[in-house]
């Protein structure tokens, strides 16, 4: 019996009409509390219980990629733990890796609230958070305190974005400043140029701009940290193709596909229901609200983008797939289209903490059905035409 879906979710989403951001903050608060006192009772007991019920260890799910060991291919997507306050707890919830951030050089509050909405009819979310985070220096100090190679139970990615106060022309210096502060604490880094919620940011996906941005980071990256670029699902094929060429030319490690979409055309939801916040009692028109859509409406498009990149590169450029994963079938589609790893955010909100376990068990079943010995053998098997 799944208590989360039967009792907790209906109560939180419908009964209490709780504000999604408030709920997110409470979740993060509890998890960071568990992390802080994780070695003492009762938090150590709780962490052990979580591990027992939520984790799946199986050698067939393990991969060694870019110098790091991933115990399984399902990671936490960027945006959930923006400040890295629960960086060491994600492994106890079953995740195979966790991406922190987006982190910006300067601390910033993000956009005014409300800025996160649920679309239950579509199993989706709309967010325009705007990179609220405590800034690269503060996050580096936090990670330096707790994240060593020994304490890091799973690989940690750090997603970097541009500070809102920094003009677009100075973006490279801004990303570079964050990278310098954080480079010791991540197993991989992500250049996020695809959030719809920082004015002008997506223009950095343009080849010339992206090229100088990557150049700046690669010059600093003498330690050879894996660097990915995270792209939007709304790009045209030729724009994706030119980012792929650029990534190869500049020896990036790979692409994260994809961020949220600004499209609204395939949604059942037309009005966003009010939450319990008094200052927002009128339903809002989804077509007039700024922000990016995540969850089920994004699923097929992000898989298409993954397949396109895999085909363009004949599988030579690693891909981390993200967008609308709720089930093992969804994760399998992305992996077989070409993703070496996948990430989840919105699905985890809707499906609850058992989701990662269910996906991993389902992936093992798929491997057995296909007669494959490990998850790496499944990567891209449906990616090439005629496969
Ligand atoms: C509330 C929220 C905040 C997000 N914040 C970030 C972010 O800071 N940086 C980023 O690269 N992606 C961010 N994302 C996008 C996710 O990482 C992911 O790419 C997207 O939601 C698609 O995955 P999903 O359908 O599993 O949610 C955010 C998504 C949500 C729902």
């Amino acid at each position: 019996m799944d208590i989360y879906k039967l009792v907790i979710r209906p109560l939180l989403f419908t009964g209490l009409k709780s504000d999604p951001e408030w709920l997110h903050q409470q979740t993060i608060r509890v998890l960071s509390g568990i992390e802080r006192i994780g070695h003492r009772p009762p938090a150590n007991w709780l962490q052990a219980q979580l591990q027992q019920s939520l984790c799946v260890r199986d050698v067939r799910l393990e991969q060694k990629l870019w110098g790091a060991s991933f115990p399984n291919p399902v990671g936490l997507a960027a945006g959930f733990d923006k400040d890295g306050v629960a960086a060491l707890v994600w492994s106890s919830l079953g995740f195979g890796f966790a991406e922190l951030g987006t982190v910006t050089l300067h601390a910033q509050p993000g956009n005014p609230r409300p800025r996160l909405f649920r679309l239950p009819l579509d199993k989706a979310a709309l967010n325009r958070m705007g990179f609220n985070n405590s800034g690269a220096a503060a996050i580096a100090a936090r990670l330096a305190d707790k994240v060593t190679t020994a304490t890091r139970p799973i690989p940690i990615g750090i997603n970097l974005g541009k500070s809102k106060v920094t003009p677009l022309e100075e973006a490279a210096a801004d990303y570079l400043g964050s990278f310098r502060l954080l480079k010791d604490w991540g197993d991989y880094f992500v250049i996020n140029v695809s959030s719809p919620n920082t004015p002008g940011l997506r223009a950095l996906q343009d080849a010339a701009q992206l090229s100088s941005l990557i150049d700046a980071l690669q010059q600093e990256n003498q330690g050879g940290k894996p660097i990915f670029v995270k792209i939007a699902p709304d790009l045209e094929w030729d724009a994706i193709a030119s980012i792929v060429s650029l990534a190869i030319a500049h020896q990036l490690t790979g692409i994260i596909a994809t961020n949220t979409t600004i499209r609204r055309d395939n949604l059942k939801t037309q009005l966003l229901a009010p939450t319990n916040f008094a200052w927002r009692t009128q339903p809002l028109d989804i077509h007039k609200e700024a922000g990016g859509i995540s969850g089920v409406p994004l699923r097929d498009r992000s898989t298409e983008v993954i397949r396109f990149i895999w085909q363009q590169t004949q599988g030579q450029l690693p891909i981390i797939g993200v967008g609308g994963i709720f089930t093992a079938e969804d994760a399998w589609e992305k992996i077989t289209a070409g993703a070496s790893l996948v990430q989840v955010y919105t699905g985890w909100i809707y499906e609850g903490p058992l989701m990662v376990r269910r996906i991993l068990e389902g992936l093992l079943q798929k491997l057995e059905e296909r007669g494959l010995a490990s998850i790496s053998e499944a990567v891209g098997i449906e990616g090439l035409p005629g496969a």
Side-chain angles (χ1 to χ4, degrees):
M1 191 173 62
D2 187 341
I3 300 282
Y4 180 83
K5 282 210 265 185
L6 272 170
V7 183
I8 302 177
R9 187 179 71 186
L11 189 68
L12 291 172
F13 282 22
T14 320
L16 300 174
K17 289 198 165 79
S18 64
D19 175 62
E21 185 168 349
W22 175 84
L23 194 56
H24 175 258
Q25 284 169 338
Q26 301 316 309
T27 310
I28 281 286
R29 197 162 293 164
V30 169
L31 293 176
S32 77
I34 295 176
E35 183 189 270
R36 258 198 324 278
I37 53 165
H39 53 288
R40 296 202 303 265
N44 62 348
W45 176 85
L46 186 62
Q47 216 161 328
Q49 296 302 309
L50 287 174
Q51 279 170 9
Q52 206 179 356
S53 17
L54 305 179
C55 296
V56 176
R57 286 308 297 244
D58 192 300
V59 69
R60 290 170 292 172
L61 296 171
E62 294 172 8
Q63 292 180 91
K64 278 214 176 0
L65 298 166
W66 325 304
S69 297
F70 292 79
N72 73 63
V74 179
L76 178 77
F80 205 101
D81 190 2
K82 287 178 189 277
D83 285 332
V85 293
L88 300 180
V89 170
W90 298 109
S91 63
S92 302
L93 300 173
F95 289 101
F97 64 108
E99 191 170 308
L100 312 178
T102 293
V103 182
T104 56
L105 181 59
H106 303 289
Q108 54 185 45
N111 290 323
R113 291 166 78 166
R115 53 192 181 177
L116 173 59
F117 305 88
R118 287 182 211 110
L119 286 64
L121 272 181
D122 291 289
K123 290 189 151 187
L126 167 69
N127 96 83
R128 50 169 178 259
M129 304 299 290
F131 295 165
N132 51 310
N133 77 106
S134 46
I139 294 167
R142 178 173 300 126
L143 295 179
D145 248 6
K146 62 184 183 185
V147 176
T148 63
T149 316
T151 59
R152 215 181 292 178
I154 51 173
I156 288 184
I158 303 182
N159 180 305
L160 307 176
K162 183 187 78 65
S163 313
K164 193 173 179 190
V165 292
T166 301
L168 222 47
E169 313 79 67
E170 292 164 29
D174 194 84
Y175 282 86
L176 185 59
S178 298
F179 182 62
R180 280 195 181 124
L181 288 164
L182 288 158
K183 66 181 174 191
D184 290 339
W185 314 115
D187 293 290
Y188 72 87
F189 286 81
V190 182
I191 305 173
N192 180 6
V193 280
S194 47
S195 165
N197 304 315
T198 295
L201 190 86
R202 286 179 161 204
L204 295 173
Q205 292 175 118
D206 169 71
Q209 305 237 46
L210 189 56
S211 178
S212 51
L213 185 51
I214 299 173
D215 260 348
L217 290 185
Q218 286 295 43
Q219 269 176 34
E220 176 71 22
N221 189 23
Q222 296 306 325
K225 289 281 179 178
I227 301 183
F228 291 77
V229 64
K230 184 167 178 180
I231 63 170
D234 307 315
L235 292 169
E236 302 292 338
W237 294 126
D238 57 351
I240 298 177
S242 78
I243 293 178
V244 166
S245 310
L246 210 70
I248 292 171
H250 290 260
Q251 294 169 340
L252 283 192
T253 303
I255 306 265
I256 302 195
T258 67
N259 215 314
T260 54
T261 177
I262 55 170
R263 293 182 67 151
R264 303 282 190 270
D265 47 0
N266 58 353
L267 298 176
K268 297 186 194 87
T269 308
Q270 296 303 312
L271 291 174
L272 294 165
T275 66
N276 60 353
F277 277 90
W279 37 260
R280 189 168 75 73
T281 48
Q282 291 302 315
L284 300 170
D285 181 347
I286 187 90
H287 298 281
K288 294 192 182 139
E289 294 301 313
I293 300 282
S294 56
V296 170
L298 178 63
R299 185 178 54 206
D300 291 347
R301 173 64 187 167
S302 69
T303 308
E304 241 183 7
V305 173
I306 293 164
R307 186 168 289 113
F308 176 82
I309 299 169
W310 179 266
Q311 289 177 359
Q312 285 277 304
T313 61
Q314 302 287 304
Q316 294 309 298
L317 188 65
I319 304 162
I320 299 178
V322 52
I325 296 177
F326 281 60
T327 64
E329 187 64 41
D330 301 337
W332 183 254
E333 270 182 19
K334 283 189 167 48
I335 291 168
T336 56
S340 299
L341 301 168
V342 294
Q343 297 176 320
V344 298
Y345 189 144
T346 309
W348 204 64
I349 309 295
Y350 278 91
E351 298 294 298
L354 283 171
M355 184 181 91
V356 177
R357 183 189 183 113
R358 278 198 289 260
I359 291 179
L360 295 174
E361 287 171 347
L363 289 178
L364 286 169
Q365 201 180 330
K366 298 252 178 218
L367 290 179
E368 272 163 31
E369 283 163 14
R370 296 293 197 99
L372 299 172
S374 71
I375 200 72
S376 55
E377 287 183 12
V379 175
I381 54 172
E382 308 282 352
L384 295 176

